Amino acid sequence: LRKEWSRYGHFQSSFREEPRPKWSFHREIRIPVHLELEETLVEVEKDVTYLIRLSHDLGYEMLKCRIKIPGGAYQYKKIPLQDVICEGQEEYDKIKEKLENTDVTIIILLREKKGFQIRGYHLYTDIYLDYVDLVLGTEVDVETIEGDYHYVIKPGTQAESSFSLKNKGLIRPYKIGGRGSQYVKIHVKVPTRLTRRQRQALEYFRETMKYDDEEPEDVRETETGRQAG
């Protein structure tokens, strides 16, 4: 510190105090823009309203503009405002003139989506199926951020098991590339109300599970045979 102090003339042999050097600081103003998960896949336009502090002397000024964010945005991605502004350029230029050594950037923040959990670039969801559907197999439409995805549940699928949909997660930064996966966990949906016929069928099924001496068949092999037939 003494070397720096002497370098800029703060200590002179004549004991005359010189003015301190004016340090230049570089700052960055980050304007948050929230996107829905679906909006990360396509180009979207957003209105921006942000109160920018110019300096201690100049105070604040309101920035209002419209930006166009290209598809491929991801959490915490930073984009220079100058690269995406499509309306309000003149107003922004006036504010920019008053900002010294300052970069104004957009930072992407993702909104939560009901039924979806975000973990890194992967998404986690749940589906609820009847016990019979797990035993015999079925076909389901799984909700993704791109719409419904048709998926075949194999016979004999176990409750609380999971399957993954590759490239149905969030977009990764270009340095990593690709997209994450969507992991879907299967739960059993237990009915709380039954008709008389349904109750009788279940009671009969329970009895046959206890006392039937017939050799059980593999439901997966049975299903394969039916498809082949």
Side-chain angles (χ1 to χ4, degrees):
L1 290 174
R2 280 196 290 269
K3 289 181 180 179
E4 293 296 321
W5 197 261
S6 176
R7 177 183 174 187
Y8 287 101
H10 288 281
F11 183 82
Q12 301 292 339
S13 58
S14 61
F15 298 97
R16 181 171 58 86
E17 185 174 317
E18 297 290 336
R20 292 187 179 184
K22 183 178 180 181
W23 295 91
S24 76
F25 294 96
H26 187 87
R27 68 168 178 154
E28 179 186 37
I29 296 176
R30 297 181 180 181
I31 301 177
V33 172
H34 294 82
L35 296 183
E36 306 294 341
L37 299 186
E38 296 87 345
E39 293 179 324
T40 62
L41 306 177
V42 297
E43 181 180 86
V44 293
E45 293 189 5
K46 293 287 181 178
D47 291 319
V48 172
T49 302
Y50 193 78
L51 189 63
I52 293 181
R53 183 175 183 177
L54 303 177
S55 67
H56 292 287
D57 300 329
L58 299 178
Y60 295 83
E61 191 153 342
M62 183 66 72
L63 170 65
K64 292 183 179 181
C65 63
R66 189 168 181 83
I67 61 175
K68 184 180 294 184
I69 302 175
Y74 49 85
Q75 182 82 305
Y76 305 128
K77 180 178 182 179
K78 295 197 306 181
I79 311 172
L81 176 60
Q82 189 63 40
D83 292 349
V84 293
I85 189 170
C86 57
E87 293 181 18
Q89 182 68 52
E90 294 182 1
E91 290 76 7
Y92 170 64
D93 290 340
K94 292 177 182 178
I95 295 176
K96 184 66 175 175
E97 290 178 358
K98 303 175 184 179
L99 297 172
E100 295 184 0
N101 301 317
T102 302
D103 291 331
V104 181
T105 60
I106 298 296
I107 182 167
I108 301 298
L109 301 177
L110 302 183
R111 296 187 187 277
E112 294 184 357
K113 180 178 176 64
K114 185 177 180 180
F116 287 74
Q117 293 183 0
I118 303 174
R119 300 179 191 174
Y121 301 104
H122 301 302
L123 297 174
Y124 290 77
T125 59
D126 301 275
I127 59 172
Y128 295 82
L129 300 176
D130 294 325
Y131 170 73
V132 176
D133 290 332
L134 297 183
V135 175
L136 301 180
T138 187
E139 298 180 6
V140 295
D141 289 327
V142 181
E143 182 184 5
T144 74
I145 60 175
E146 297 177 84
D148 290 342
Y149 181 88
H150 195 71
Y151 187 84
V152 176
I153 302 294
K154 296 181 179 180
T157 297
Q158 299 298 306
E160 303 304 310
S161 62
S162 301
F163 61 89
S164 63
L165 303 178
K166 293 184 178 180
N167 296 318
K168 294 299 181 181
L170 300 177
I171 294 176
R172 297 188 178 103
Y174 70 92
K175 291 183 179 179
I176 303 176
R179 289 175 58 179
S181 298
Q182 179 174 333
Y183 294 92
V184 185
K185 190 170 185 178
I186 301 173
H187 304 276
V188 176
K189 181 173 59 177
V190 179
T192 57
R193 301 179 62 184
L194 297 173
T195 65
R196 179 180 300 179
R197 185 177 179 183
Q198 290 169 338
R199 179 177 295 277
Q200 290 175 346
L202 286 174
E203 289 176 349
Y204 176 76
F205 173 76
R206 181 165 58 185
E207 290 300 317
T208 58
M209 292 294 290
K210 290 180 180 179
Y211 303 111
D212 197 343
D213 295 330
E214 182 181 353
E215 183 70 20
E217 61 182 11
D218 191 322
V219 293
R220 289 167 294 184
E221 293 179 358
T222 302
E223 187 68 20
T224 303
R226 289 174 181 172
Q227 290 178 357

